């Protein structure tokens, strides 16, 4: 891929994964099988997905000055991600996610934010001032501080670089950032939640999930609603809805599927693809990613994406 750089702003975690027959309910203990350690964090995962898809990628975030942090940086470098803007912070641990994956590949995640909660707006601004001149797309996710998320979206808008904002999880500041016109990539429940947050509602209509039309009216940009095993829907600023069919998938672990989608979407947009093409390839990549346990284990290369997409 010869496109411009993808700049990802988001979290870096270490994932501790327990495979269990089913997810525990509140207050319940479920005894599972093996425990495994995987590289994680929505930002770092998306950065790796974009790099495997062929993009030059810089990640902006933070880890602690600990063993988890050192391993996380080494894994990013091994996947071709440039970590020069990942701060190594004293006195805070690297983020950790505790994940249970059930027999159907569904998951439950609790995150100890650690260094991700110390990513400052000043750090993001300085990193983006350095990285944006070469950037074709900025991808932001919301597991870091609201101030850092806001700084990333504002800086991308000021530089007129397309910005994909993955509101996972939905945090209040996202509502204030819609005026900068980010390309939103919520799932269906995040879409409805975000629309409610800004006091705008639009009912589900045909393939268009509840809230999506209201969000397009706020951003003036495409909203891409991911639907898991049902594919995705792209709603354009002109109101046209384009369903993207699901790709066949062998589901072992859905952790990181959304990150794969976002990373590949950003990579393809940075390379100049039309939105519909980029979303289709991102959807194919996400389907491939769920075939192995661990957020990044199943993330495909550009060649694997092209082959699965039929060319
Ligand atoms: O999206 C999956 C990711 O969410 C995991 O890797 C975990 O670290 C949490 O951040």
């Amino acid at each position: 891929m010869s496109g411009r750089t993808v700049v990802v702003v988001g979290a870096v975690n270490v994932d501790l994964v327990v495979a269990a027959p089913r997810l525990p309910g509140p207050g319940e203990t479920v005894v599972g099988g093996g425990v495994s350690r995987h590289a994680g964090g929505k930002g770092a995962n998306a950065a790796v997905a974009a790099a495997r898809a062929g993009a030059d990628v810089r990640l902006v975030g933070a880890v602690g000055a600990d063993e988890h942090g050192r391993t996380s940086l080494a894994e990013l470098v091994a996947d071709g991600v440039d970590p020069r803007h990942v701060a190594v912070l004293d006195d805070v641990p690297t983020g950790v996610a505790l994940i249970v994956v059930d027999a159907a590949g569904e998951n439950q995640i609790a995150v100890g934010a650690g260094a991700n909660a110390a990513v400052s707006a000043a750090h993001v601004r300085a990193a983006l001032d350095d990285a944006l001149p070469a950037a074709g797309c900025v991808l932001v996710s919301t597991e870091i501080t609201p101030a850092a998320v806001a700084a990333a979206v504002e800086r991308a808008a000021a530089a007129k670089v397309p910005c994909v904002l993955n509101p996972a999880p939905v945090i209040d500041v996202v509502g204030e950032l819609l005026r900068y016109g980010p390309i939103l990539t919520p799932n269906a429940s995040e879409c409805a939640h975000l629309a409610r947050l800004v006091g705008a509602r639009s009912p589900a209509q045909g393939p268009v999930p509840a809230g999506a039309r209201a969000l397009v009216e706020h951003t003036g940009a495409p909203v891409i609603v991911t639907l898991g095993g049902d594919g995705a829907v792209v709603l354009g600023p002109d109101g046209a809805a384009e369903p993207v069919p699901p790709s066949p998938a062998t589901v072992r672990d859905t952790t990181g599927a959304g990150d794969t989608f976002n990373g590949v979407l950003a990579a393809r947009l940075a390379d100049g693809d039309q939105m519909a093409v980029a979303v289709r390839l991102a959807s194919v990549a996400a389907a491939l990613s769920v075939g192995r346990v661990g957020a990044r284990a199943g993330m495909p290369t550009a060649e694997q994406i092209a082959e699965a997409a039929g060319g």
Side-chain angles (χ1 to χ4, degrees):
M1 197 161 96
S2 60
R4 309 191 75 211
T5 299
V6 173
V7 181
V8 180
V9 184
V12 183
N13 290 330
V14 166
D15 293 352
L16 301 178
V17 182
V18 172
R22 62 187 173 76
L23 304 180
E28 187 187 10
T29 301
V30 171
V31 177
V35 183
S36 49
R37 176 219 170 274
H38 298 269
K42 292 189 197 310
N45 291 344
V48 167
R52 288 195 194 164
D56 289 331
V57 183
R58 288 199 202 183
L59 176 63
V60 182
V63 295
D66 53 18
E67 190 53 38
H68 280 167
R70 284 186 283 280
T71 312
S72 298
L73 290 175
E75 286 165 328
L76 288 164
V77 170
D79 254 307
V81 174
D82 181 340
R84 80 180 78 171
H85 301 302
V86 180
V88 179
L89 303 177
D90 290 325
D91 304 324
V92 284
T94 299
V96 171
L98 303 179
I99 302 179
V100 183
V101 178
D102 73 11
E106 196 47 79
N107 65 45
Q108 200 172 58
I109 304 178
V111 175
N116 300 304
V119 179
S120 69
H123 174 64
V124 170
R125 285 192 200 103
L128 291 191
D129 286 350
D130 185 52
L132 281 176
C137 187
V138 174
L139 168 60
V140 186
S141 50
T142 51
E143 274 184 334
I144 51 175
T145 61
V149 170
V153 175
E154 287 163 9
R155 272 297 204 266
K160 300 196 187 328
V161 175
C163 179
V164 175
L165 176 55
N166 177 219
V170 174
I171 56 175
D172 288 356
V173 75
V174 173
E176 296 155 32
L177 298 172
L178 300 186
R179 64 198 156 102
Y180 292 105
I183 299 163
L184 295 169
T185 56
N187 63 25
S189 63
E190 290 159 353
C191 184
H193 181 174
L194 190 50
R196 279 196 305 276
L197 190 68
V198 296
R201 283 171 198 240
S202 55
Q205 199 177 41
V208 181
R213 281 196 192 284
L215 292 177
V216 165
E217 279 162 24
H218 270 66
T219 61
V223 171
I224 300 142
V225 186
T226 56
L227 302 170
D230 292 326
V233 176
V234 183
L235 188 62
D238 59 356
E242 187 165 350
V244 177
S247 298
T250 306
V251 183
R252 298 218 163 76
D253 181 4
T254 55
T255 310
D259 309 333
T260 305
F261 181 94
N262 280 280
V264 174
L265 176 69
R268 294 313 318 166
L269 291 176
D271 201 37
D273 278 1
Q274 294 295 310
M275 182 60 77
V277 174
V279 172
R280 164 90 181 114
L281 293 174
S283 187
V284 166
L288 291 170
S289 76
V290 300
R292 293 180 60 187
V293 174
R296 300 183 200 166
M299 283 178 181
T301 62
E303 293 72 26
Q304 290 167 329
I305 297 169
E307 188 184 338

